[in-house]
Amino acid sequence: DQEGNLTTFSPLLEKPGFITVLLDWLREMKSQGIDPEEYQAFSVKNPSTRDTQLSEFYRRYQEYLHQKGYADPDGRLWVALEALEKDPELFIINGPLYILGHDQFTPVQLAILKSLTDRFDSMTVYLHWSDDQDEDSLALSRLRETRTTLLNNLDLEVITLPSHSKSNANLSHLGDQIFRLSPEIQESTNDLQLIEAPSREIEVSEALKITKMLLQQGISPMNIGILAPKPDTYLPLMRTVGEEYGVPLSCDQPLKAEPLVQELINLLTLLPNYSWRATFQALRSPYNKQPWLTP
């Protein structure tokens, strides 16, 4: 900080990662719905040099965004919530609202859910939960807080979905015992295998060999999944080896990574120079074929 406004953090200013930590703090404040004015009022009531400096930093950060017409992801949620609260007729849709894949909601997200409850025919929130788990199970510790928060803030009816039969005894045992402080030991069988590989290429090759064997045994591709710790790293390898083995692959990826979107972005960036590579990519694209575009 060249202006000396963050003197309480002087030993850390030049340390790698300090900016990231500061931005994470900003995101946490905004996700909790704490605006600069509220934090400034807190720093006045509970004076400390650290809070006073952070309050000024927060105020200037938010002021800069307003001046430039920018909004960070959490700020956009603020804008959405404000719009919903101001206009009761906004975003009314005939149909149900389904919320899946969330195990935690910030106060701002929860306020948005409250605003949406009367704008849909129904609202369903899916949450992983097991009535078979012990009340003090570590596996449910985070979910328990989310579940309690939802029930205390929204008018929800709890419906427990029926359990599906677990086909693999070892995986079922692992799922039941993984978070227990004193897990029960079960003798292993050949259902789970450990394969060590010296490179990602061989690792992918072994995974696809097993996949092809399963396909040849008549197992549907929809019932086979391959999990990778870094999808962006493994996906190109998976596609290359998959073509060699004749194994069909389907992978969820960001919208900007879809071929059609990439071709659209290429078209939009042709102007003004029309670079040779980008132009020929556009002409050769199967998405841009036109009857008037002859060889």
Side-chain angles (χ1 to χ4, degrees), residues 4 7 35 122 131 152 204 212 217 222 231 261 282 291:
T7 56
D35 57 34
S122 64
D131 292 329
N152 289 342
V204 168
K212 189 160 187 174
Q217 293 171 12
M222 301 300 295
V261 176

Side-chain angles (χ1 to χ4, degrees), residues 110-129:
L110 196 62
I112 290 177
L113 288 184
K114 285 184 180 179
S115 298
L116 292 176
T117 50
D118 297 328
R119 301 172 200 247
F120 291 80
D121 293 340
S122 64
M123 182 173 71
T124 304
V125 183
Y126 286 90
L127 189 67
H128 287 291
W129 187 263

Side-chain angles (χ1 to χ4, degrees), residues 44-242:
V44 171
K45 288 184 179 180
N46 305 273
S48 73
T49 305
R50 176 182 176 276
D51 285 324
T52 300
Q53 292 182 356
L54 284 174
S55 171
E56 177 63 13
F57 168 73
Y58 190 10
R59 183 192 68 79
R60 292 179 60 177
Y61 169 80
Q62 196 68 9
E63 189 177 85
Y64 174 81
L65 293 180
H66 283 254
Q67 290 175 351
K68 298 294 184 179
Y70 297 154
D72 52 22
D74 297 285
R76 289 197 291 270
L77 287 179
W78 282 13
V79 174
L81 176 59
E82 184 178 1
L84 289 170
E85 291 177 341
K86 284 184 176 180
D87 186 357
E89 303 299 321
L90 181 65
F91 206 64
I92 293 181
I93 296 178
N94 294 326
L97 171 63
Y98 297 101
I99 302 167
L100 308 100
H102 295 272
D103 63 357
Q104 194 173 30
F105 296 90
T106 67
V108 177
Q109 292 169 339
L110 196 62
I112 290 177
L113 288 184
K114 285 184 180 179
S115 298
L116 292 176
T117 50
D118 297 328
R119 301 172 200 247
F120 291 80
D121 293 340
S122 64
M123 182 173 71
T124 304
V125 183
Y126 286 90
L127 189 67
H128 287 291
W129 187 263
S130 173
D131 292 329
D132 298 331
Q133 294 276 4
D134 297 334
E135 188 62 28
D136 59 348
S137 169
L138 293 178
L140 300 180
S141 58
R142 179 172 177 175
L143 296 175
R144 186 183 300 106
E145 182 179 349
T146 301
R147 188 174 189 264
T148 302
T149 301
L150 289 172
L151 292 175
N152 289 342
N153 289 274
L154 301 174
D155 185 15
L156 297 174
E157 176 188 0
V158 178
I159 300 176
T160 302
L161 298 179
S163 300
H164 292 285
S165 58
K166 300 177 180 179
S167 57
N168 188 294
N170 284 336
L171 290 178
S172 300
H173 175 79
L174 180 63
D176 293 337
Q177 303 290 327
I178 189 169
F179 290 108
R180 296 198 176 185
L181 295 177
S182 301
E184 299 175 8
I185 305 300
Q186 176 176 297
E187 291 187 8
S188 62
T189 64
N190 293 328
D191 292 340
L192 296 179
Q193 300 179 35
L194 171 64
I195 300 175
E196 296 178 316
S199 67
R200 289 194 180 99
E201 290 80 3
I202 299 178
E203 185 181 6
V204 168
S205 177
E206 290 296 327
L208 290 179
K209 281 181 183 177
I210 296 173
T211 302
K212 189 160 187 174
M213 290 173 56
L214 295 175
L215 292 172
Q216 291 173 339
Q217 293 171 12
I219 297 177
S220 169
M222 301 300 295
N223 295 330
I224 302 174
I226 300 176
L227 306 181
K230 296 180 180 178
D232 293 340
T233 301
Y234 280 87
L235 185 56
L237 293 171
M238 296 286 292
R239 285 176 171 162
T240 301
V241 181

